[in-house]
Amino acid sequence: MKNLRTYLSVAALATALGLAGCSVASTTPTGVSAISSTSSAASSSSAASSGVASSTTQAVSLDTLAEDTHYDADDLTWDAASEVAVTLADGASKAATGTSSDAVKVDGGTVTITAAGTYRLSGSLSDGQVVVAAGEEDVVRIILDGASITSSTGSPFVVQSANEAIVYLEDGTTNTLGDAATYADQGTDAANAALYSMADLTIAGSGSLTVDGNYNDGISSKDGLVLAAGTVTVDAADDGIVGKDYAVLLSGAYQVTAAGDGFKSDNDADEGRGWLLINGGTINVSAGDDGIKAYNTLKIAAGTATVEESEEGLEAQHILIAGGTATVTSNDDGVNASGGSSTSTSQGGGMGGGSMAVGDYTVEVTGGLLTINSKGDGLDSNGNASISGGTVVVNGPTDNGNGALDVNGELAVTGGTVAAAGSAGMAVTPSDTSTQSGVQVTLGSSVPAGTVIQVADPAGKVVAAFVTTKATASLVFSSAAVTDGEEYTVYTGGTATVSAGLGEGSLDGAKEQGTVTAGEYTAAQGPGGGGGPRW
């Protein structure tokens, strides 16, 4: 096993991976851009001072990364002279003579690679298969150089055995893998994905790959998986991209459409495994079940993760947003800390203060931009949650059976910016362990989508301007611009210029709704209503 610390501790690695030449992969990280939208007119001199924080790249901390991966930069460097050229053709596939060419066996439509080395595949198989059956210590590098492989009986690309398999997408090429709708072999260890590996798997290179998983999964590794680069499109009948021990996105652009889960790590048997890291690149997911999921820990440190459609958007026992941009749309919970193995206790939590099970589950936001649009709970932890940096914007449920914030234990807000809007029936507010103040606005009745809600300080300066994306009855807002104990006036209307729904506003034409006091709950009584527990 090679350690991910090797990758993360070398400051110049991104430059090294971007070197030109056919024998070195080009994996310059994809840039990160904030998601932005504009509502109403430009702001006036009373602009809010609490805009959305920019999304910057935050390298994952070495101190928080306990698990190893198989990947390092050497995987993407090789001697071009040692490559074995393999031409794929129906009934006529062949390897060019030379070093390691005897490790390529052709039997009808099946091409089998049996030893370590670098193999460049081009051409097409309309009904065939590439199999890697190398030794347990062998590193096998497959360069897809304009290759198209389809199978009518199973998976077109199977790594049966190796220490590590690297699928490298040659610059400027388009490659495709498509499997059968029904597999002839459905045994316990049989392949179940269009790109399937029993060994550690890396995908790299600046070319493109289209994967059609017609039977089950699109890309699946039964060991570790690292997505180091590439422009990859996956369409799967079940899960899109799966790494068992871990799944890591370092760079590249990945588009996933899946009837099941989108991108996940699912080892539920080995302690410390089943984790997922997004540390660069972009991934867009449309999923019939969960969008991005880990059994153990899910961390977004940099890059852009977009869940366009899902039941639950981000799900893991422990969820950490440390940087980058995450945008989630869900039919149920947007961010859900649940599952895994936990020890539960009974503890009062949330605004109601009743008895709820508090397990070993956490949501932690320390940086970046997290935007949620959920029909169920917005940010939900079956344990505790904390926000100490970054920006969290929640467009939560419209029904009173769910809340924009739903935390069984403590919700500690000590920094960053939080704007959580939704129904008022189960509104949860930060706990008294929070050191940053804020306000809760509970409107007398829901306001429609597109409504500007503004909060102004005693001097008339707008400290929060929020534009709703759906019917909204409650808004919790916290930022460094709010002073504990001060009285703030709530307005609807006026104009606002926002990014992810939050930004700068003007009170011209706005209608005053009442007042709230920072650090006091207003429950469901509307602005100016009674107090309650302090934050």
Side-chain angles (χ1 to χ4, degrees):
M1 287 278 185
K2 298 168 186 172
N3 199 311
L4 185 56
R5 298 183 182 207
T6 304
Y7 170 82
L8 296 169
S9 63
V10 181
L13 182 63
T15 302
L17 296 182
L19 296 174
C22 63
S23 63
V24 180
S26 175
T27 58
T28 303
T30 303
V32 179
S33 59
I35 296 173
S36 176
S37 62
T38 301
S39 177
S40 299
S43 61
S44 69
S45 58
S46 60
S49 61
S50 55
V52 173
S54 62
S55 173
T56 57
T57 299
Q58 301 288 332
V60 66
S61 169
L62 301 180
D63 294 334
T64 62
L65 211 68
E67 284 77 24
D68 296 336
T69 79
H70 60 276
Y71 176 81
D72 76 35
D74 291 343
D75 295 341
L76 308 182
T77 305
W78 63 91
D79 181 4
S82 67
E83 293 179 9
V84 177
V86 180
T87 302
L88 304 176
D90 291 334
S93 297
K94 62 181 180 179
T97 56
T99 305
S100 299
S101 61
D102 56 352
V104 180
K105 311 296 183 184
V106 178
D107 183 7
T110 301
V111 176
T112 302
I113 296 168
T114 61
T118 300
Y119 304 84
R120 181 178 292 269
L121 276 57
S122 60
S124 64
L125 290 173
S126 62
D127 187 8
Q129 185 180 62
V130 171
V131 177
V132 175
E136 292 184 358
E137 301 301 319
D138 289 346
V139 175
V140 179
R141 186 178 296 104
I142 307 292
I143 304 170
L144 296 183
D145 186 1
S148 176
I149 311 169
T150 303
S151 174
S152 66
T153 58
S155 171
F157 196 113
V158 177
V159 180
Q160 292 180 349
S161 58
N163 181 3
E164 177 186 354
I166 302 158
V167 175
Y168 182 83
L169 310 175
E170 181 61 34
D171 183 27
T173 67
T174 299
N175 306 276
T176 61
L177 297 174
D179 66 357
T182 301
Y183 280 24
D185 183 357
Q186 299 184 17
T188 302
D189 293 327
N192 67 346
L195 173 49
Y196 180 85
S197 179
M198 291 292 293
D200 289 326
L201 176 65
T202 299
I203 298 176
S206 56
S208 69
L209 174 64
T210 297
V211 178
D212 290 324
N214 300 300
Y215 170 64
N216 195 56
D217 298 344
I219 298 172
S220 180
S221 169
K222 293 300 182 181
D223 211 324
L225 173 66
V226 173
L227 308 177
T231 300
V232 179
T233 301
V234 177
D235 196 334
D238 191 16
D239 299 333
I241 301 177
V242 182
K244 184 176 182 181
D245 288 350
Y246 50 82
V248 180
L249 173 62
L250 299 179
S251 188
Y254 286 74
Q255 179 73 46
V256 180
T257 303
D261 299 329
F263 179 38
K264 73 176 185 179
S265 176
D266 63 357
N267 189 334
D268 61 358
D270 299 324
E271 184 177 357
R273 295 302 191 181
W275 56 270
L276 185 149
L277 168 67
I278 297 175
N279 202 48
T282 63
I283 185 164
N284 289 70
V285 174
S286 293
D289 200 352
D290 299 331
I292 301 175
K293 182 175 184 176
Y295 179 80
N296 188 343
T297 300
L298 188 164
K299 181 171 184 177
I300 300 176
T304 301
T306 303
V307 178
E308 298 174 345
E309 182 180 358
S310 66
E311 287 303 306
E312 295 192 325
L314 307 181
E315 183 172 85
Q317 183 177 353
H318 303 287
I319 299 172
L320 172 60
I321 311 297
T325 300
T327 305
V328 175
T329 301
S330 65
N331 291 323
D332 198 353
D333 298 342
V335 171
N336 185 33
S338 67
S341 58
S342 67
T343 301
S344 296
T345 61
S346 182
Q347 176 177 326
M351 200 175 76
S355 178
M356 291 179 284
V358 180
D360 181 21
Y361 307 105
T362 57
V363 175
E364 182 179 2
V365 181
T366 63
L369 170 61
L370 171 62
T371 306
I372 300 168
N373 187 333
S374 65
K375 292 181 181 178
D377 296 325
L379 188 153
D380 184 359
S381 175
N382 288 350
N384 297 312
S386 65
I387 299 170
S388 61
T391 299
V392 178
V393 178
V394 180
N395 299 283
T398 58
D399 68 273
N400 287 324
N402 294 285
L405 302 172
D406 182 13
V407 179
N408 287 11
E410 298 286 339
L411 171 57
V413 178
T414 60
T417 300
V418 182
S423 58
M426 293 185 66
V428 169
T429 55
S431 63
D432 56 11
T433 58
S434 299
T435 59
Q436 178 172 281
S437 193
V439 296
Q440 181 180 3
V441 177
T442 304
L443 301 167
S445 60
S446 293
V447 296
T451 300
V452 179
I453 302 175
Q454 303 194 64
V455 179
D457 68 12
K461 179 182 179 181
V462 176
V463 298
F466 181 80
V467 179
T468 64
T469 63
K470 61 180 74 172
T472 298
S474 174
L475 172 67
V476 173
F477 177 79
S478 176
S479 82
V482 177
T483 301
D484 192 64
E486 284 197 352
E487 189 174 86
Y488 291 82
T489 305
V490 178
Y491 298 84
T492 55
T495 58
T497 299
V498 299
S499 174
L502 186 64
E504 299 179 338
S506 167
L507 298 177
D508 293 343
K511 181 179 179 180
E512 182 177 334
Q513 298 295 324
T515 60
V516 292
T517 301
E520 296 184 1
Y521 297 139
T522 59
Q525 302 177 39
R534 295 183 62 81
W535 289 21

